[in-house]
Amino acid sequence: EDAAVHLLWRLVTSGDGAGHGHHAGADAQALRPGRVLVSAPLVLLAAGGTGGHLFPAEALASALRARGVRAALVTDRPHAAGGVATEIHALGRRRMGAGKLSRALGLATVAAAIPRARRLVARLAPAAVVGFGGYPSVPTVLAAAWSRVPAMLHEQNAVLGRANRLLARFAAGIATSFADVARLPAGKPAWLVGNPVRPAIRLLRDAPYLTEDRDGRFAVLVTGGSQGARSFSDVVPAAVAALGPALRARLRGVHQARPEDVDRARAAYAAAGADAEVAPFFSDIGARIAASQLAICRAGASPCAELACIGRPALFVPYALATDDHQTANAHALTAAGGGWTLAQTDFSAATLAARLAAWMNAPAELAVAAAAMRAAGRPDAAEALAEATLALLPGRARSGKDAA
């Protein structure tokens, strides 16, 4: 990582690299230009094109606008970023992978994007830059450092991500979502702000937790994140089938599955005589969380923040191949807070899950305690805290380097 930083910084300071010069490739494309209010300061947000990066960027943009500050977004998937900012700039697309070849290709793509990022920063003249991780944040934050524009990073997980590790030395500080974050650089200012959630999720903060719904049913939300999880479609229907007839009749499933697994999961629930709604995507995921008695899910940054904001207990089954095993770190943090339980993928079986479901359905008081603990771990004001930390970067303002409680 140190060698990568030195190489990229040499490209930034020298201006060398693919696309350098007056006749270089097209600048980062402004896909949705908005009216420019010259009197208002501009904060440039840089985020990868997944929900885990874009959701907090969207929440920060909204909080900044409420404070009279403009926000523009640099991302690699602009069409997934609707609503984040009125001005969106595309900066290529490349995942910062873990393998040597993937990392080399990623660094080459970043190097090619640096001249465009420098031109974009020069043209927009932002007062500050906030990086949310993912490929686009690397050239954008490096360009900000070269232009002496103050920058801050936001880390959504309990392990500092690769892009943020590369950029940490160029940032004024790191805003974190968890109290303890692995791989934070020693001596780098860090502020605990939480992981901002979308407004629709935040509105459900006060939805009370019930140990059963008004019809006496026990709702289980099953979600593997934006892409679903194949093992969930294998294990969960089989576990429901293993329940006794009375418990199975009480259970109501809401299962987000991969598109290719939807029919198979539906058939398995139907064969078990279970009531389950299976779909590849739920547009009203916040309402589904609020209506559940239990969530069975991966432990990505967004599901963790949403569950904590609304206050619903979870059985976390972390994705074992997640970069730096950050999902296990996220799950352990919320499990340690009392908000749920963590089960390794290797231990996730129909028999184990059926036993746990039966115990919770027969004695739901444990779930109510976990729901309260999960809600206590939530930070519904994360967007406001992150906005204040961002405003502190602007000229004439300052903040200390200690954590915000």
Side-chain angles (χ1 to χ4, degrees), residues 26-32 47 73-79 81 87-93 113 116-117 120 123 135-136 139-140:
D27 202 351
Q29 181 185 8
L31 296 178
R32 297 175 59 211
L73 174 72
V74 180
T75 186
D76 53 346
R77 294 181 62 191
H79 299 295
E87 188 176 339
I88 298 178
H89 302 270
L91 198 61
R93 185 175 179 183
R116 288 182 290 149
L120 180 65
R123 177 164 62 83
Y135 151 71
T140 307

Side-chain angles (χ1 to χ4, degrees), residues 10-178:
R10 283 178 59 191
L11 292 173
V12 172
T13 54
S14 68
D16 294 336
H20 176 61
H22 293 293
H23 300 288
D27 202 351
Q29 181 185 8
L31 296 178
R32 297 175 59 211
R35 280 174 47 188
V36 177
L37 305 175
V38 227
S39 57
L42 172 72
V43 172
L44 190 59
L45 313 179
T50 63
H53 298 306
L54 288 174
F55 292 159
E58 177 184 357
L60 175 60
S62 177
L64 288 173
R65 283 194 296 268
R67 289 161 171 78
V69 175
R70 294 180 296 137
L73 174 72
V74 180
T75 186
D76 53 346
R77 294 181 62 191
H79 299 295
V84 177
T86 55
E87 188 176 339
I88 298 178
H89 302 270
L91 198 61
R93 185 175 179 183
R94 179 74 207 175
R95 185 177 182 272
M96 299 289 285
K100 288 183 179 179
L101 177 59
S102 181
R103 293 189 70 183
L105 290 173
L107 287 173
T109 308
V110 169
I114 284 174
R116 288 182 290 149
R118 279 179 49 177
R119 292 195 297 272
L120 180 65
V121 169
R123 177 164 62 83
L124 296 180
V129 169
V130 181
F132 287 88
Y135 151 71
S137 64
V138 178
T140 307
V141 172
L142 287 174
W146 184 84
S147 301
R148 300 183 183 275
V149 174
M152 179 177 68
L153 307 177
H154 180 265
E155 178 55 56
Q156 298 89 47
N157 293 296
V159 179
L160 197 65
R162 284 201 174 99
N164 282 346
R165 293 202 298 270
L166 281 171
L167 297 170
R169 69 186 65 186
F170 303 104
I174 302 171
T176 67
S177 302
F178 290 88

Side-chain angles (χ1 to χ4, degrees), residues 295-356:
I296 300 172
C297 58
R298 294 301 195 194
S302 291
C304 287
E306 291 168 355
L307 286 164
C309 181
I310 298 174
R312 295 298 180 265
L315 175 63
F316 293 112
V317 185
Y319 179 50
L321 300 181
T323 307
D324 298 319
D325 201 19
H326 68 262
Q327 288 203 10
T328 296
N330 295 349
H332 283 168
L334 291 175
T335 297
W341 302 266
T342 300
L343 191 62
Q345 181 70 55
T346 51
D347 298 325
F348 186 54
S349 67
T352 299
L353 180 58
R356 293 201 176 204

